[in-house]
Amino acid sequence: YSIVYIDATTSSCQSMHDIQALLSRDLYTRWIDYGTLYASTHHSFVAISTSDCPGYLIDYFLTLYVDMTILTLIQRATIIVYQNYASLLTKGIEADKKNITQAKLNTLLNLHEKYIGFQNQLLFFEVSPEEQGMELYQMLVKSLYINEEKDALAEQFKSLYDVTNANQNSTFSKYAAIMASIALVFTSITFIYDMFKTDISNISKIPDIYVRGIILLITFIIIGVIIWYVRNKYRRNK
């Protein structure tokens, strides 16, 4: 217990029941009859053997198994970094009348894409064809709570997407209402003009086709300005 849990004393844990339970959970005893033990905990990875341990087992531990440990530490550290970034994105969104900007949504999308790249490049299910290597790797993953941290991050991303999608849908609905209002106004103007075009033509010398052209031109200009504004507002820079 002292070696596995890096305990300065013989054992600072005063419960033999707990000591047995922890060792049962964290020890790898496949080769215990040959005088070799491995152990993986939240803050250590050790091998204990007799003095006649074959040299190749020591080489395996110092190369393959230590590399697996480094990989799992990188996995845990990276997931925690992404969790911190995701937490920063949620800062302030709980405040009243606080809108989620397109820039924040773009940051979320970029962050998620980088995390997917990390999953494909470093978050492996297995790293060794050797059965013992696979089992030790899974012990390391379990000891560092990588799957739990990964699930927590996935839930953070899901919650952020739910909130941002609701916010964006609300924003788009506002623009749709504005566009519909503009279309209704110009349709009404055209309808009124058609009803009274005879009287208007008696008062004004402007040809009918020119009036219609001016109305259409103004309509297209306003719609173009709105489209330009929306495209620039929701443009995504990676």
Side-chain angles (χ1 to χ4, degrees):
Y1 181 94
S2 178
I3 294 173
V4 171
Y5 298 100
I6 321 299
D7 201 330
T9 61
T10 302
S11 173
S12 59
C13 181
Q14 299 302 307
S15 169
M16 184 55 65
H17 177 272
D18 288 348
I19 291 175
Q20 292 175 344
L22 289 170
L23 290 175
S24 176
R25 183 193 67 182
D26 295 332
L27 286 180
Y28 182 76
T29 59
R30 173 184 285 270
W31 308 112
I32 190 169
D33 289 344
Y34 291 106
T36 303
L37 277 174
Y38 296 91
S40 172
T41 72
H42 187 62
H43 51 270
S44 69
F45 179 58
V46 299
I48 305 171
S49 68
T50 58
S51 58
D52 57 349
C53 172
Y56 65 86
L57 290 181
I58 298 175
D59 292 337
Y60 283 170
F61 180 82
L62 294 177
T63 54
L64 176 60
Y65 301 153
V66 169
D67 284 346
M68 288 194 313
T69 307
I70 294 171
L71 175 62
T72 53
L73 287 171
I74 292 171
Q75 291 171 348
R76 176 177 169 82
T78 305
I79 292 173
I80 291 174
V81 167
Y82 282 119
Q83 287 177 339
N84 291 337
Y85 279 128
S87 298
L88 288 175
L89 289 175
T90 64
K91 185 178 180 180
I93 64 174
E94 76 283 354
D96 293 337
K97 299 180 181 180
K98 182 71 173 181
N99 291 325
I100 299 175
T101 63
Q102 183 62 27
K104 182 168 286 191
L105 176 58
N106 290 344
T107 302
L108 171 61
L109 294 172
N110 293 338
L111 180 64
H112 202 175
E113 286 183 354
K114 291 177 181 178
Y115 176 67
I116 291 172
F118 156 72
Q119 285 182 302
N120 293 330
Q121 295 170 17
L122 289 174
L123 208 55
F124 305 119
F125 176 74
E126 62 178 73
V127 295
S128 171
E130 181 193 26
E131 187 172 2
Q132 176 174 301
M134 292 172 58
E135 292 171 347
L136 287 173
Y137 176 68
Q138 292 303 321
M139 286 186 65
L140 287 165
V141 169
K142 184 177 180 180
S143 298
L144 293 177
Y145 310 112
I146 289 174
N147 289 328
E148 291 81 356
E149 297 284 2
K150 182 176 62 176
D151 292 341
L153 179 58
E155 186 63 30
Q156 277 185 289
F157 278 128
K158 181 180 181 301
S159 299
L160 280 169
Y161 275 119
D162 289 343
V163 173
T164 53
N165 286 337
N167 186 271
Q168 294 301 309
N169 289 337
S170 175
T171 302
F172 279 119
S173 297
K174 292 178 183 178
Y175 283 113
I178 293 173
M179 293 287 291
S181 301
I182 293 173
L184 178 62
V185 169
F186 281 99
T187 301
S188 302
I189 292 173
T190 304
F191 177 74
I192 294 171
Y193 174 77
D194 288 337
M195 289 181 60
F196 299 101
K197 64 179 179 179
T198 304
D199 297 334
I200 294 175
S201 61
N202 293 332
I203 299 173
S204 174
K205 302 299 182 181
I206 302 177
D208 180 71
I209 190 172
Y210 289 165
V211 175
R212 290 179 178 275
I214 292 171
I215 293 175
L216 286 174
L217 178 62
I218 294 173
T219 302
F220 284 129
I221 290 174
I222 293 176
I223 292 175
V225 169
I226 292 175
I227 292 174
W228 173 85
Y229 174 76
V230 171
R231 288 189 62 184
N232 280 274
K233 181 176 178 60
Y234 294 97
R235 178 181 297 160
R236 182 181 172 202
N237 295 320
K238 296 189 68 175

